[in-house]
Amino acid sequence: MQRYFVPPEQMSEQDVRITGEDVKHIAKVMRLKSGDKIICLNNQGRQTLCEITSMETNVVTAVVLKELHEQAELPVSITIAQSLVKGDKLEFVIQKGTELGASSFYLYSGERSVVKWESSKVKKKLERLRKIAKEAAEQAERLFVPDVLYYHSTEMMLEKSFSFDAAVYLYEEQARHGQHHDLADVLHPMPSSILAVIGPEGGISEKEAVAWKSSGCRAVSLGPRILRSETAPLYLLSALSYHYEILR
Ligand code: SAH
C-alpha cells in the first residue's frame, strides 16, 4: 500500500489533507481513486490507514480508518556524518542510508574532500536530498524521515558530538593497523544514540583525527578492506541491523 508523509498540521484525528507533489503521485503515477486506501504518516510517530474521499487538482482528502502501530525503525538512533562526495554519490548515501534505517544525516566538507558547496546552492541541494530521504523512507516503510543537515564548519559539527550517547569516526588507519574490535565494544551495551563520522574520498586527515578524538569520538574500523566513502555508512548501518535486529 502506498505511504505518504504529510505535514502534521494537515492530519487531524479524523482526516488528512494531502497537498504538493504527492497529489500528482496519487492521481497520475498511482492512478488511485476515491475509495482507495493509503497509509498516511505525520513524521512524529503517527501512522494511519486512510481511505481517499475526494480528489481535486491540488488536494487529496482522506478519512482516517485506523491507527497503525507496527513500525520498522532501527532500535538505535544513528546519525551519519558524511563528508561531501562527488556527483550523485551523496544522493546514493541518503537514499540507501535511509532504506537501511539512519535517523539523520549531517553533511560536512572534510579537509581532503574534493567537493565544496557554494553557500548560495546549499538550500537547493538540501531540498533535493530531503525529498530523496522522504521517498526512501516511504518506500522502506519507515515511521520517520531522516533529517538532512549541512554544517558549514566542522567545529560546529564537532560540538554536536557531545549530545550523543556514543560517537565514533570510521578511520581507515584503524583498519590498516588491524584494530577491528572497537565497533563491537561501542555496540555493547547498546547506546541510545550514535554519531558516526565518515571521511571523504581522500580519507580523514591526521589533524581531523586528532580533532575528532578530542571531541570524544572513538576511532573504529570496519574491517580489513578499505571502502569507498559512500560504502562505509551502508556497511555500518547493515552491521547495526544485523547486530540488533537479526542476531537477537
Ligand atoms: N583514500 C583514502 C581512503 C578513504 S576511504 C586512503 O587511501 O587513505 C573513505 C572513508 O571511508 C574513510 O575516511 C573512512 O571514514 C571510511 N572507511 C573506509 N574503509 C574503512 C574501514 N575499513 N574502516 C573504517 N573506516 C573506513
Side-chain angles (χ1 to χ4, degrees):
M1 194 175 306
Q2 282 302 309
R3 304 164 68 90
Y4 297 96
F5 283 97
V6 178
E9 62 277 12
Q10 290 176 211
M11 262 179 99
S12 77
E13 283 296 305
Q14 300 84 19
D15 46 39
V16 182
R17 285 180 67 248
I18 300 169
T19 53
E21 291 198 15
D22 286 339
V23 171
K24 203 166 81 195
H25 192 266
I26 290 172
K28 300 265 156 48
V29 182
M30 300 311 302
R31 298 178 173 278
L32 297 176
K33 305 255 173 316
S34 284
D36 285 338
K37 296 195 175 59
I38 53 175
I39 291 172
C40 295
L41 303 102
N42 69 355
N43 200 23
Q44 293 179 341
R46 188 166 175 228
Q47 184 175 199
T48 56
L49 176 69
C50 298
E51 183 180 312
I52 297 175
T53 47
S54 88
M55 306 211 3
E56 291 159 43
T57 330
N58 296 317
V59 52
V60 169
T61 318
V63 63
V64 175
L65 299 178
K66 73 170 181 194
E67 304 288 325
L68 301 174
H69 302 290
E70 310 82 63
Q71 58 102 2
E73 291 301 304
L74 267 183
V76 57
S77 160
I78 164 90
T79 295
I80 299 292
Q82 174 71 48
S83 172
L84 298 183
V85 279
K86 274 194 249 169
D88 53 13
K89 288 177 184 167
L90 195 57
E91 297 183 3
F92 176 82
V93 168
I94 303 285
Q95 185 185 56
K96 302 304 166 202
T98 300
E99 287 172 37
L100 288 165
S103 304
S104 321
F105 296 93
Y106 291 175
L107 308 176
Y108 76 101
S109 182
E111 206 178 294
R112 295 188 184 151
S113 180
V114 191
V115 185
K116 307 277 172 210
W117 277 7
E118 277 175 46
S119 325
S120 61
K121 301 212 172 119
V122 171
K123 193 167 168 260
K124 201 130 197 214
K125 284 179 185 291
L126 286 179
E127 267 169 26
R128 177 159 170 74
L129 294 172
R130 285 174 180 147
K131 182 166 177 261
I132 290 172
K134 173 181 176 284
E135 285 167 6
E138 287 167 347
Q139 114 82 35
E141 305 189 5
R142 289 193 51 185
L143 194 53
F144 299 108
V145 181
D147 290 332
V148 185
L149 305 174
Y150 175 67
Y151 284 92
H152 290 272
S153 95
T154 317
E155 286 71 32
M156 274 170 69
M157 195 174 80
L158 279 174
E159 281 172 24
K160 286 272 171 190
S161 67
F162 294 105
S163 57
F164 290 84
D165 200 11
V168 298
Y169 61 107
L170 309 187
Y171 196 28
E172 57 276 18
E173 293 308 324
Q174 197 81 356
R176 289 192 174 108
H177 288 114
Q179 289 168 334
H180 306 306
H181 274 286
D182 301 80
L183 180 60
D185 290 348
V186 170
L187 299 189
H188 187 80
M190 184 171 80
S192 58
S193 60
I194 306 176
L195 172 71
V197 182
I198 292 134
E201 287 105 337
I204 290 175
S205 73
E206 270 172 42
K207 198 173 128 214
E208 283 173 323
V210 170
W212 298 124
K213 199 168 274 172
S214 55
S215 300
C217 300
R218 179 163 169 181
V220 303
S221 158
L222 295 182
R225 287 163 297 283
I226 303 302
L227 311 172
R228 294 262 190 177
S229 179
E230 68 275 20
T231 314
L234 307 185
Y235 175 110
L236 178 65
L237 289 161
S238 311
L240 291 181
S241 172
Y242 183 71
H243 196 79
Y244 294 126
E245 297 179 318
I246 307 292
L247 268 190
R248 53 188 39 222

